[in-house]
Amino acid sequence: MGLELYSFYPSVPCRMVRLLLEHLELDVDVKTVDTLKGEQMNPDFIQINPQHTIPTLIDDGLIITESRAILMYLANKYAKEDENLYPADPEKRAVIDMRMCFDLGTLYVRFIDAFWPVILQKVLPDPVKVAKLDEAIGYVEAFLKDGFVAGSELTIADFSMAAILSNIKAFGHDMSNFPEVSSYIEKCAGMMKGWDELSQPGADMFGNWYKASLAEAEAAA
Ligand SMILES: N[C@@H](CCC(=O)N[C@@H](CS)C(=O)NCC(=O)O)C(=O)O
């Protein structure tokens, strides 16, 4: 049995996994779980992942949830040809792990905190939360001094970071203070196979949803 991925195209964590699968040229059976329709609550899916989150990967019976853990597993198991993606060297790996903990625990959280209320409640963005998001994007600007977020080579940390940053950009967020981040998004879009098919449509869908919600909030204000 090959790889199976439960996924939905606008989801940021799903997109980072799909981009890495594509980069590694792995065949995967993608099963759509449309969270907008609540399909993650289907009993069959809950049986597989009681936490009912996507992405969920199954590899030969092994079920793996949590997008960054999936990226680490895929690189550990399948990136033999490209040792730079997730090097075994503890010092190099520590920088990659640091960046992935940052994107999971800080950048992604601040992105959701700043923009989700606009989508869900049709309220204007809270400027304090937007400032916290900008602070986090500013940290990424500094991480990029050697070209990628964990140094001078493409690593799995770039798959998660680029997926989030491209979504922030798709929301129409002002990126003019972050020139390194802006060109990094373009660089990743050019380097990561399948970006235009597997990532950008989801970022655009999510971005258009945000922009329509913002317009609604502005009209009501
Ligand atoms: N920390 C998890 C978060 C995954 C997550 O929250 N995914 C959303 C879609 S973007 C989801 O599955 N939502 C449905 C639910 O939680 O019921 C990861 O990175 O994999």
Side-chain angles (χ1 to χ4, degrees):
M1 207 163 57
L3 291 164
E4 288 171 80
L5 181 72
Y6 291 81
S7 179
F8 188 39
Y9 83 98
S11 154
V12 177
C14 292
R15 285 181 1 236
M16 52 186 80
V17 170
R18 293 214 58 191
L19 285 169
L20 184 64
L21 285 162
E22 191 72 9
H23 182 82
L24 295 172
E25 298 182 351
L26 293 169
D27 284 333
V28 59
D29 178 8
V30 177
K31 297 175 188 298
T32 295
V33 177
D34 185 337
T35 48
L36 297 178
K37 293 184 184 153
E39 288 178 359
Q40 77 276 19
M41 303 311 288
N42 286 351
D44 288 353
F45 185 61
I46 301 265
Q47 187 90 20
I48 294 167
N49 175 4
Q51 197 190 337
H52 50 80
T53 52
I54 49 168
T56 295
L57 182 80
I58 307 185
D59 187 7
D60 205 13
L62 174 67
I63 298 169
I64 310 173
T65 65
E66 291 298 329
S67 51
R68 282 71 171 182
I70 295 172
L71 297 180
M72 291 167 180
Y73 171 79
L74 289 172
N76 279 332
K77 185 156 179 191
Y78 296 109
K80 309 274 187 271
E81 301 295 312
D82 184 353
E83 290 175 3
N84 291 323
L85 268 183
Y86 198 37
D89 174 74
E91 281 85 17
K92 288 183 180 163
R93 186 166 280 210
V95 180
I96 297 166
D97 291 347
M98 201 163 35
R99 297 297 182 251
M100 295 177 85
C101 288
F102 165 84
D103 80 50
L104 177 66
T106 301
L107 182 65
Y108 190 68
V109 171
R110 292 188 187 187
F111 160 63
I112 294 294
D113 279 355
F115 296 140
W116 236 173
V118 179
I119 291 176
L120 293 185
Q121 294 148 28
K122 315 297 180 211
V123 293
L124 293 172
D126 178 339
V128 174
K129 290 181 176 166
V130 173
K132 293 298 280 180
L133 174 63
D134 278 337
E135 181 187 51
I137 304 172
Y139 297 142
V140 183
E141 188 81 3
F143 298 156
L144 287 169
K145 66 180 174 35
D146 294 321
F148 293 94
V149 290
S152 58
E153 307 280 352
L154 183 79
T155 70
I156 55 170
D158 295 296
F159 287 81
S160 49
M161 204 76 80
I164 301 175
L165 292 168
S166 66
N167 224 123
I168 294 172
K169 184 181 167 201
F171 275 34
H173 185 60
D174 179 10
M175 302 294 269
S176 57
N177 288 331
F178 311 112
E180 295 298 331
V181 167
S182 299
S183 45
Y184 169 74
I185 296 168
E186 295 310 314
K187 179 162 75 174
C188 289
M191 280 181 84
M192 291 179 184
K193 280 205 297 185
W195 182 280
D196 290 343
E197 303 78 36
L198 300 176
S199 188
Q200 197 57 48
D204 290 341
M205 181 277 196
F206 206 0
N208 290 337
W209 188 16
Y210 174 79
K211 287 174 187 165
S213 304
L214 180 62
E216 225 179 289
E218 283 169 345

